[in-house]
């Protein structure tokens, strides 16, 4: 088990190792960015939009174009409180509150709208987080929340580096086997548990009340996705809520994920805030094409294995 900043350094040293869980998509994109020893990165990362430019001009620009986007999540009663959490996290991480930050806030608001109980004092799993943003929102939502973060090694290094920025005092453990996972789960001071994707089977030991995946399962091969679904159905928590937001078809097909008739759907459909985005290029507000590029989302209470 590796703790705190040593966990980040370990992941950086092994960032370019071969991993069984890597899809062809990630084999092509992994070499496009490089991680430094301090957890910063260089190059072209497809993990999300993280801007450390925080001038007044940029803040105003983002505010102007985020206002019309907020209508896409206005039905969620805790939207304002969730945005406050998001802005607090962005400030602590030393970054601008960007379009990607807003999308993650919308996700938090959706989950809280349906099941606020799973955001309070729970153990959550974030699968393939982008720069640890969703994990950061969950940790900030309640002081006793614990988050498990699983990702490919290179991406996981970035997740932990940004989580350490936002929560420097939170004990962080990178687990590598069943014994270290159990030790981390039994230590009440450990709030962040990191798992490399090739060790994802260890997650079944954790009582996962909530799991979140935002636009990264779409880049996984179907057998890897099945493994995560098995974890969600077999972990020791009596109930596991899962929010899944991915393209209908990319590397894998959303509708071919191993859903079950016994899964209780709380919300599903087209994720409108993933179909629209803004940028500095005219006409500033853009819409993505539909068809196979449509982004679907679903919040379900998973049918558990009895």
């Amino acid at each position: 088990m590796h703790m705190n900043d040593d966990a980040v350094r370990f992941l950086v040293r092994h960032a370019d190792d071969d991993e069984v869980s890597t899809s062809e998509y990630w084999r092509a994109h992994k070499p496009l960015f490089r991680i430094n020893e301090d957890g910063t990165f260089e190059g072209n990362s497809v993990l999300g939009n993280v801007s450390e430019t925080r001038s007044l001009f940029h803040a105003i620009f983002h505010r102007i174009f985020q206002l019309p986007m907020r209508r896409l999540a206005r039905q969620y009663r805790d939207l304002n409180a969730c945005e406050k959490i998001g802005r607090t996290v962005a400030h602590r991480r030393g970054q601008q509150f960007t379009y990607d930050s807003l999308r993650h806030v919308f996700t938090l608001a959706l989950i809280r709208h349906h099941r606020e109980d799973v955001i309070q004092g729970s153990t959550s799993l974030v699968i393939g987080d982008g720069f640890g943003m969703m994990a950061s929102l969950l940790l900030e939502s309640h002081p006793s929340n614990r988050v498990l973060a699983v990702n490919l090694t290179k991406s996981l290094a970035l997740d932990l580096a940004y989580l350490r920025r936002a929560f420097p005092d939170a004990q962080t453990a990178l687990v590598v086997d069943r014994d270290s996972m159990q030790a981390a789960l039994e230590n009440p001071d450990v709030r962040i548990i990191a798992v490399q994707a090739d060790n994802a089977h260890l997650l079944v030991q954790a009582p996962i009340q909530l799991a979140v995946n935002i636009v990264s399962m779409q880049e996984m091969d179907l057998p890897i996705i099945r493994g995560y679904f098995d974890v969600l159905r077999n972990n020791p928590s009596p109930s596991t809520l899962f929010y899944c937001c991915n393209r209908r078809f990319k590397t894998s097909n959303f509708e071919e994920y191993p859903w079950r008739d016994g899964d209780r759907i709380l919300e599903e459909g087209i994720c409108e805030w993933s179909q629209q985005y803004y940028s500095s290029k005219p006409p500033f507000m853009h819409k993505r094409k539909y068809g196979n590029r449509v982004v679907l989302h679903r919040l379900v209470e998973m049918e558990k294995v009895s």
Side-chain angles (χ1 to χ4, degrees):
M1 182 161 57
H2 303 271
M3 297 295 298
N4 302 322
D5 290 339
D6 182 54
V8 178
R9 289 190 289 267
F10 175 87
L11 292 169
V12 170
R13 288 196 301 272
H14 293 276
D16 294 315
D17 289 359
D18 289 333
E19 297 174 272
V20 174
S21 304
T22 306
S23 66
E24 287 303 314
Y25 174 90
W26 270 106
R27 290 189 198 284
H29 284 81
K30 187 176 174 180
L32 301 182
F33 67 101
R34 175 178 176 271
I35 304 178
N36 303 315
E37 282 293 327
D38 61 358
T40 59
F41 77 100
E42 300 171 5
N44 180 25
S45 169
V46 293
L47 295 169
N49 180 4
V50 174
S51 172
E52 297 183 5
T53 305
R54 293 195 295 165
S55 68
L56 179 61
F57 170 80
H58 287 88
I60 292 172
F61 170 83
H62 284 284
R63 283 275 191 177
I64 289 171
F65 289 103
Q66 285 170 3
L67 281 173
M69 290 203 68
R70 290 181 90 261
R71 65 182 172 78
L72 301 175
R74 63 184 181 274
Q75 66 271 35
Y76 305 126
R77 59 179 177 269
D78 290 338
L79 177 59
N80 289 338
C82 292
E83 184 172 341
K84 184 177 179 180
I85 290 170
R87 291 187 181 278
T88 298
V89 164
H91 178 75
R92 282 215 217 110
R93 288 158 53 113
Q95 69 179 78
Q96 182 62 253
F97 187 77
T98 64
Y99 161 73
D100 274 352
S101 304
L102 187 66
R103 288 192 306 120
H104 283 79
V105 161
F106 289 167
T107 297
L108 180 65
L110 181 155
I111 295 169
R112 280 179 54 159
H113 182 83
H114 289 280
R115 287 283 306 277
E116 188 171 6
D117 58 301
V118 301
I119 307 293
Q120 298 180 351
S122 63
T123 296
S124 299
L125 167 65
V126 184
I127 304 167
D129 207 357
F131 294 94
M133 187 60 190
M134 194 67 221
S136 295
L137 295 181
L138 292 169
L139 287 170
E140 182 65 19
S141 294
H142 196 276
S144 62
N145 280 357
R146 168 182 277 177
V147 171
L148 297 109
V150 60
N151 215 331
L152 294 169
T153 298
K154 198 169 190 177
S155 304
L156 188 60
L158 281 176
D159 290 344
L160 287 198
Y162 276 83
L163 282 164
R164 297 286 295 156
R165 283 193 194 184
F167 303 94
D169 297 327
Q171 291 293 300
T172 302
L174 171 66
V175 300
V176 295
D177 53 30
R178 292 184 61 85
D179 289 342
S180 56
M181 172 64 89
Q182 195 59 39
L185 290 170
E186 291 174 355
N187 186 342
D189 294 329
V190 173
R191 294 191 67 200
I192 303 167
I193 300 176
V195 181
Q196 292 159 279
D198 280 2
N199 293 328
H201 58 280
L202 301 175
L203 296 165
V204 77
Q205 295 173 241
I208 301 166
Q209 283 94 46
L210 169 67
V212 179
N213 178 262
I214 301 175
V215 295
S216 62
M217 275 190 171
Q218 63 190 30
E219 293 153 2
M220 299 179 191
D221 296 327
L222 197 54
I224 302 299
I225 295 171
R226 291 194 187 102
Y228 285 117
F229 271 70
D230 286 345
V231 165
L232 301 186
R233 299 192 191 283
N234 288 279
N235 76 81
S237 175
S239 174
T240 297
L241 190 71
F242 181 35
Y243 175 79
C244 184
C245 175
N246 285 280
R247 281 241 309 254
R248 172 175 280 145
F249 180 79
K250 196 172 181 181
T251 299
S252 55
N253 188 331
F254 185 95
E255 290 157 342
E256 292 179 358
Y257 295 178
W259 308 105
R260 289 185 180 177
D261 292 340
D263 295 334
R264 179 170 173 260
I265 299 173
L266 302 183
E267 183 166 332
E268 69 173 344
I270 294 173
C271 181
E272 294 294 349
W273 57 78
S274 292
Q275 295 297 138
Q276 302 182 36
Y277 66 100
Y278 62 87
S279 76
S280 58
K281 296 180 181 179
F284 306 113
M285 298 296 294
H286 312 272
K287 288 189 177 182
R288 292 188 171 95
K289 295 179 181 179
Y290 280 69
N292 280 339
R293 294 181 65 85
V294 70
V295 179
L296 304 177
H297 65 171
R298 182 176 293 179
L299 180 68
V300 298
E301 292 178 357
M302 302 292 283
E303 181 181 49
K304 304 288 286 193
V305 173
S306 56

